[in-house]
């Protein structure tokens, strides 16, 4: 889908009427998932709502500095909620176990997201593929509700904007994205600190991981790719599968039009991260692989082993480029 589907009135009246609200986001949550979750949770609590924020496994370590992170539940028990709000999740499988409980136990589901691959699950939709981050839609919702934005809410939402746009550098940043960022800064969100904490600062273990992963890098026909094996994670002293930002490094290579990182999970499956330059689109391939995402950044979890996963995906990326990686675009083209 490329058109927005925005049921503002239904969404505003649903939260107005609701007393108990479950808020969930996507599994393996990133800064937009957690920023949106915390921002909306804190805003609804200010209005006296009973809110349960939850995501499988809880808030990742590197985002626990955010206000309200301690309140996020890694699991939920069976309960009833008037409303469940799913944030930044393109399909029902992405909201994990806590989302499955909510789908069964909430009277109404609101689906707030900015992925063009959104399946439009749920009854009420705030789905806008033009938004640079889910946090941008959360902000628009609070604006419509005419609710004041305290500093804590602003900080959480600006984290979503900063992380999903990699510091306002992605091609989906619009004047509106910058206007929202400006208002969040005016409400007290510390832009510089959020940039440093979420985009610049890395644990030393990421560098150890890169030492192994960079030795696996291949580059041909415009596609650059690398592998993060369980062995490399172990040697870097990391428990959870992460690429330590490797896909960002690979996609910064000037001669490459597409980048892929293959991360081996503990169960042998492989998480594929895909990136491409404007003018290309990796979201359809991700969807065909059983995942989803945006035109320029998408992903999927597929069967291993690693070598088979590479052999299945890389030729398809090269076929998609079809020799078009030579073309140098002029500014604004
Ligand atoms: P990343 O490569 O940073 O993990 O993800 C990039 C984008 O692809 C994000 O927008 C993320 O939501 C989406 N994505 C990554 N993995 C999956 C997946 O397994 N399923 C779906 N539906 N989307 C994914
Ligand atoms: Mn997002």
């Amino acid at each position: 889908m490329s058109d927005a589907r925005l049921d503002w009135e239904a969404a505003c009246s649903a939260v107005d009427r609701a007393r108990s609200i479950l808020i969930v986001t996507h599994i393996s949550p990133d800064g937009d998932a957690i920023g949106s979750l915390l921002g909306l949770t804190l805003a609804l609590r200010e209005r006296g709502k009973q809110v349960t924020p939850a995501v499988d496994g809880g808030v990742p370590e590197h985002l626990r500095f955010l206000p309200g992170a301690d309140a996020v539940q890694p699991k939920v028990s069976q309960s009833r909620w008037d409303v469940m709000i799913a944030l930044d999740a393109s399909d029902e499988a992405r909201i994990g176990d806590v989302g499955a409980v909510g789908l069964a136990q909430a009277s109404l589901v609101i689906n707030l997201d900015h992925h063009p691959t959104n399946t439009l699950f749920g009854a009420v939709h705030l789905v806008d593929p033009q938004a640079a981050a889910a946090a941008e839609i959360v902000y628009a919702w609070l604006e419509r509700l005419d609710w004041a934005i305290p500093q804590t809410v602003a900080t959480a939402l600006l984290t979503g904007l900063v992380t999903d746009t990699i510091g306002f550098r992605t091609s989906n940043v619009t004047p509106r994205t910058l206007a929202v960022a400006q208002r969040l800064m005016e409400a007290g969100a510390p832009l510089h600190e959020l940039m440093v904490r979420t985009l610049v600062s890395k644990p030393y273990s990421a560098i150890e991981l890169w030492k192994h992963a960079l030795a696996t890098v291949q580059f041909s026909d415009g596609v650059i790719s690398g592998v993060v094996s369980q062995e490399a994670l172990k040697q870097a002293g990391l428990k959870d599968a992460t690429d330590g930002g490797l896909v960002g490094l690979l996609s910064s290579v000037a001669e490459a039009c597409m980048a892929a990182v293959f991360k081996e999970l503990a169960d042998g499956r492989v998480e594929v991260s895909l990136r491409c330059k404007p003018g290309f689109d990796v979201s359809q391939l991700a969807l065909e692989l059983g995942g989803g995402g945006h035109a320029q950044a998408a992903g999927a979890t597929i069967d291993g082993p690693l070598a088979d996963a590479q052999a299945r995906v890389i030729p398809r990326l090269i076929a998609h480029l079809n020799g078009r990686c030579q073309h140098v675009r002029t500014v604004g083209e």
Side-chain angles (χ1 to χ4, degrees):
M1 62 178 292
S2 56
D3 290 338
R5 173 77 192 267
L6 294 162
D7 306 329
W8 289 121
E9 279 180 26
C12 291
S13 75
V15 293
D16 217 28
R17 284 194 313 266
R19 291 190 56 232
S20 60
I21 301 175
L22 173 67
I23 313 186
V24 300
T25 185
H26 66 78
I27 50 175
S28 306
D30 55 18
D32 189 28
I34 297 298
S36 299
L37 181 71
L38 297 177
L40 189 56
T41 297
L42 295 166
L44 287 165
R45 284 191 173 159
E46 287 275 323
R47 310 298 295 193
K49 304 289 177 187
Q50 206 184 87
V51 186
T52 309
V55 62
D56 288 3
V59 176
E61 184 73 42
H62 68 282
L63 293 166
R64 285 204 198 132
F65 72 92
L66 285 169
D70 291 349
V72 176
Q73 303 193 7
K75 287 192 174 103
V76 287
S77 48
Q78 300 291 329
S79 175
R80 289 292 309 168
W81 292 277
D82 297 327
V83 171
M84 173 171 90
I85 305 169
L87 300 171
D88 201 28
S90 56
D91 59 64
E92 282 152 306
R94 287 287 279 169
I95 53 181
D97 294 341
V98 297
V101 174
L103 286 169
Q105 302 293 331
S107 306
L108 179 88
V109 173
I110 301 178
N111 169 358
L112 183 157
D113 185 33
H114 69 129
H115 290 91
T117 54
N118 191 284
T119 59
L120 295 179
F121 69 91
V124 174
H125 304 106
L126 295 179
V127 179
D128 184 1
Q130 311 301 326
E136 193 177 314
I137 309 173
V138 173
Y139 179 86
W141 195 7
L142 300 181
E143 204 176 37
R144 268 186 182 260
L145 287 161
D146 209 16
W147 292 359
I149 307 245
Q151 185 181 6
T152 48
V153 173
T155 298
L157 295 183
L158 190 58
T159 301
L161 283 185
V162 159
T163 53
D164 252 28
T165 63
I166 325 173
F168 306 103
R169 287 189 289 148
T170 54
S171 57
N172 57 359
V173 171
T174 62
R176 167 150 182 102
T177 316
L178 297 180
V180 171
Q182 179 180 347
R183 285 187 226 131
L184 294 172
M185 282 185 82
E186 284 162 359
L191 178 68
H192 172 72
E193 191 186 342
L194 295 176
M195 292 265 205
V196 171
R197 280 195 189 254
T198 61
L199 301 176
V200 180
S201 171
K202 287 192 183 7
Y204 175 66
S205 56
I207 304 301
E208 280 293 327
L209 188 67
W210 285 18
K211 283 197 207 168
H212 300 281
L214 285 174
T216 72
V217 169
Q218 304 175 14
F219 181 41
S220 76
D221 301 295
V223 176
I224 189 161
S225 65
V227 162
V228 173
S229 63
Q230 280 289 311
E231 183 57 28
L233 288 164
K234 200 170 107 193
Q235 295 206 4
L238 289 159
K239 279 198 282 320
D240 299 329
T242 169
D243 75 350
L246 181 69
V247 76
L249 178 71
L250 298 189
S251 59
S252 71
V253 170
E255 297 91 333
C257 288
M258 287 192 178
V261 167
F262 298 83
K263 268 178 299 184
E264 187 179 28
L265 303 177
D267 64 8
R269 288 183 309 149
V270 174
E271 212 171 281
V272 190
S273 279
L274 303 171
R275 300 289 184 272
C276 66
K277 303 248 163 92
F280 302 102
D281 185 339
V282 282
S283 67
Q284 281 311 310
L285 176 60
L287 201 58
E288 284 164 31
L289 294 169
H294 306 282
Q296 261 76 68
T301 302
I302 63 175
D303 289 338
L306 274 170
D308 289 4
Q310 288 173 285
R312 256 178 288 138
V313 174
I314 295 173
R316 289 173 76 168
L317 295 173
I318 293 173
H320 182 84
L321 288 178
N322 195 19
R324 289 178 300 148
C325 195
Q326 310 304 325
H327 177 63
V328 179
R329 298 182 334 137
T330 52
V331 171
E333 188 184 340

